Amino acid sequence: MESAHKNTHKAPQRIVVWIGIVAVIIVMVCAALVVAVFNGSKRDDSPAAIGSTQTVASDDKIKQNVSQLQASVKQSKTDLDSAKAALGEESSRVKVAE
Amino acid sequence: MKLIATALLSLMLVAFTPVAMTVNAQSAAEQKLQQMKQKATTELDRRIAQLTATQKKLDTAVAIKNTTDKAVILPAESKTKSEQLVQKYIAQLMQLKQKAQSLTSVAEAQKLAVTIDSQYGLDKAVNAQGAVTKVVETMTGTYDNLKTMSNDLQGQITKLKDCADNSSADGCGKVGTGAEAKAAELQNRLDAATQQMNSVQSVVGAVVALQSDNVATLTTVTARLGDLSKLADVTNNGELKSLESLQKSSTAVTSQLTIGYTVAASVQYLLTSISDVTTTFDF
């Protein structure tokens, strides 16, 4: 009689323990899923992956780069000459006082 | 009768000679004043023209695409200070020109002439700092273009390597045989270009820092000196001493940039030669 009473008293406790275990498992699975999704969304920037995961620059883009670079290097030379002239200019100066 | 005529003529000569001499002296002084005004105007116009040309150059902005490395980008504050300095000096020289044109005596003109001559170093320093700031900015743009092109070429070479490893991968069908060897050769050339680019990066980073300091120093010096049109003779002004070290510093900037430009031009040819090959691939 006493043993039967104990069994009926333990039954709800076991249910609660099992519910707890299942809940912990569900939480862990969800966390693992979130981590997996997060890692998967990260872009792989390693050099080996660039070609396969990123858009490779088109030939037109490369040609555009070439002309921009040429113009930029040319402009650097022009501006460098101007800067040197500005630092050294003396000959064009007019002495005003007599 | 003849005697009376001679006497009258002599009297007239005696009476009018001082008047004629005074008129001559006045016209000589006036001529001298006009000459001095003309000389002052010519020199001020020359200075204004140079500063205006520098201002026009500074007006054109350089757009930077790779913004991660701040050391190789000219700070906006330095560019603004440089532009403001040039604009301020143009305005003050215009006022000085008006002052020169309104002079009424040779003594005043002499005094202003001495002042204009004494300010020569100051105007030159402001113009030079503008011109040097511009070339520093242009070189940051050149480095940026080198970097962009190098990155894009690296993407193409990596794609070529991927296709060499797996020719059935997406977009690799038309790459053809020998892709692996080509990719390796191009990678070597790009690595060599990257090494040279690193020295361009070092030079540009160093001159950006140096020029920013120079602009800040000149801004302080000119602020302490005040308005050009109200300044007297500054020949012995202690503030002008700092212009000598600024001149040396700016000369050092242009010397470094000469090296940087030479290497940048060499990298440009290297990258262009790589692109000549990569653009023949049909990904």
Side-chain angles (χ1 to χ4, degrees), chain A residues 56-57 59, chain B residues 155-161 163 170-175 278-283:
Chain A
V56 178
D59 289 349
Chain B
Q156 288 203 330
I157 294 169
T158 305
K159 177 73 179 172
L160 187 61
K161 281 182 200 166
C163 291
D170 188 27
C172 293
K174 297 172 189 169
V175 166
T278 61
T279 48
T280 61
F281 301 137
D282 191 7
F283 290 124

Side-chain angles (χ1 to χ4, degrees), chain A residues 47-48 50-52 56-59 61-62 65-66 68-70 72-73 75-80 82-84 86-90 92-98, chain B residues 32 39-40 43 46 50 57 65 113 117 120 124 127-128 131 134-135 138-139 141-142 145-146 149 152 156 158-159 162 247 250 254 257-258 261 268 275 279 281:
Chain A
I50 288 172
S52 54
V56 178
S58 66
D59 289 349
K61 170 83 180 352
I62 296 284
N65 287 346
V66 171
Q68 277 179 352
L69 184 55
Q70 279 173 346
S72 183
V73 168
Q75 190 61 50
S76 292
K77 177 80 172 91
T78 307
D79 289 347
L80 188 56
S82 298
K84 285 177 180 173
L87 281 164
E89 58 105 351
E90 282 285 347
S92 56
R93 179 190 179 190
V94 175
K95 205 161 182 306
V96 186
E98 292 172 352
Chain B
K32 177 87 177 160
K39 267 174 106 176
E43 174 60 6
R46 188 190 69 81
Q50 283 191 329
K57 285 189 172 198
K65 297 178 279 291
D117 283 344
Y120 167 75
K124 182 185 165 184
N127 184 50
K134 184 63 213 170
V135 67
T138 309
M139 276 301 289
T142 296
N145 283 324
L146 289 173
M149 186 156 174
D152 285 349
Q156 288 203 330
T158 305
K159 177 73 179 172
D162 288 350
Q247 167 89 8
S250 297
T254 53
L257 282 178
T258 305
Y261 161 76
Q268 178 213 326
S275 75
T279 48
F281 301 137

